[in-house]
Amino acid sequence: MKKVISKEQAKGLWIQAQGLHERAPFGKGAKATQAAVEHLGYVQIDTINVIERCHHHILFTRIPDYKRQHLHQAQSQDKTVFEYWTHALSYVPTKDFRFFMDDMKRTRLSPSKWFQSVKKEEMQKVLKLIKNEGPLSIRDIEDDVLVEKSHPWASRKPSKKALQLGFYTGHLVISERQGMLKKYELLDRHFDWDKKPKAATEKEILEYLLERSLRSQALASVDSICYLDAKKKPGIKKLIEAKARKKELLPVHIEGVEKTEFWVKPEVLEKKVELDEELVHVLSPFDPLVIQRKRLQALFDYEHRFEAYLPKEKRVYGYFALPVLVGDQVVAAIDLKADRDKNELLIQKWNWLPKMKSASNKKLIEEELHRFEKFQLGK
């Protein structure tokens, strides 16, 4: 028999699992960055810099004293995080590396159409350069014979695609970022493991995906576990069924969310969730609470619109609108832009959600925007 819980309880559990229930759930300083990435499972990377790029934004949301150099330290010095593809390019805990080795092997055996133009000699060239000269970026390669771009995001340097292929096949790792410029290093030399991790089995990968979702979402559905990875749904369903028979997972029905079956660890339902009703978070559009749009809408009754790629006349919330969470409610979506020349954070458009406009909400949000501005512009 399914357990029925209210939407308010479901939101509280999810917010708590996301580390948004209190101001500093992962502690302070550089170690908090490692703790946050390990708990969330991944932190998405994106190139858009209307405001601070989303990987820094996501961490700042959960770590009040977060500094950009903390992520650099985790990636390049402590090496506790690395970059790879989850549902998008993301920072991932290094301790989870073995769960991505199967994807690397699959790419080696059968590269996608995008990489089929990479010639063997181009791959050998970049590997030899890095082996002999150390980590390098595409800017460090100056002897390429330039070609015409095959895509707006492509490069005229053939070496760029070779570096990318080396990254996805696990020969190379992104050892450092300077802004969005990536430096590549030989994977084995970067990590200098005493013993290289053993690739996870298919069953272990499914277990990992399920556990990651239950840890960071509290209430997991097949869709949320397999977000943008539909091929894993049959295996995840079987795994959930097996755990349900052992009473390790319970089916949950959320009032008002009719079509989705959620699963939860029994002990999670016994937790008392305490949320600060005046705690405000200005969330990135790529925040793990926001990125799964259908789930966000089902629980928060808010349909987020990412409108950066829409023509101006079709935008409702604005070019880069950010959802604003107050307590357990999304109360507004504010389109912000960092004017770095004037050292100001500009409010392009302030959108209140229905029945959420109030003097108290406005005061709380304005106070948070002051803190947000200081981080954005390094004040």
Side-chain angles (χ1 to χ4, degrees), residues 14-174:
W14 190 17
I15 288 169
Q16 185 179 63
Q18 278 288 302
L20 297 170
H21 62 300
E22 57 183 271
R23 182 55 79 186
F26 301 109
K28 297 181 179 180
K31 289 296 183 184
T33 292
Q34 176 185 346
V37 178
E38 289 184 351
H39 177 83
L40 295 171
Y42 66 87
V43 169
Q44 184 172 336
I45 300 168
D46 197 82
T47 59
I48 297 175
N49 67 337
V50 176
I51 58 168
E52 181 54 86
R53 291 183 174 95
C54 74
H55 37 290
H56 294 305
H57 184 169
I58 291 166
L59 292 168
F60 168 76
T61 299
R62 294 161 173 82
I63 306 170
D65 68 344
Y66 173 75
K67 302 289 187 296
R68 294 160 185 82
Q69 59 264 34
H70 293 166
L71 186 54
H72 180 273
Q73 178 179 329
Q75 179 177 26
S76 303
Q77 299 169 21
D78 300 339
K79 301 175 184 177
T80 54
V81 304
F82 73 104
E83 296 185 30
Y84 206 69
W85 194 267
T86 53
H87 69 281
L89 187 62
S90 302
Y91 286 102
V92 184
T94 301
K95 69 182 185 63
D96 294 340
F97 186 88
R98 61 190 296 261
F99 300 109
F100 296 86
M101 293 174 72
D102 189 56
D103 287 337
M104 296 173 185
K105 180 180 178 181
R106 193 178 299 111
T107 305
R108 286 197 295 273
L109 296 175
S110 182
S112 69
K113 186 177 180 181
W114 174 258
F115 291 118
Q116 287 174 4
S117 64
V118 178
K119 297 176 182 178
K120 185 178 180 180
E121 56 266 28
E122 292 168 349
M123 194 72 228
Q124 290 174 336
K125 169 189 170 181
V126 298
L127 291 176
K128 185 177 179 180
L129 274 173
I130 294 170
K131 181 179 180 180
N132 293 337
E133 300 181 18
L136 56 78
S137 72
I138 187 59
R139 291 182 186 172
D140 298 319
I141 300 175
E142 299 177 342
D143 61 347
D144 271 2
V145 177
L146 303 183
V147 298
E148 292 299 319
K149 285 189 177 185
S150 58
H151 188 278
W153 294 347
S155 171
R156 295 190 64 200
K157 292 183 176 181
S159 292
K160 181 173 182 180
K161 197 174 283 189
L163 288 169
Q164 291 172 334
L165 179 57
F167 165 75
Y168 282 109
T169 56
H171 291 101
L172 300 175
V173 68
I174 297 170

Side-chain angles (χ1 to χ4, degrees), residues 346-359:
L346 307 179
I347 298 176
Q348 307 283 77
K349 188 177 181 182
W350 188 311
N351 308 274
W352 287 104
L353 270 63
K355 300 180 181 179
M356 295 299 177
K357 184 177 182 179
S358 69

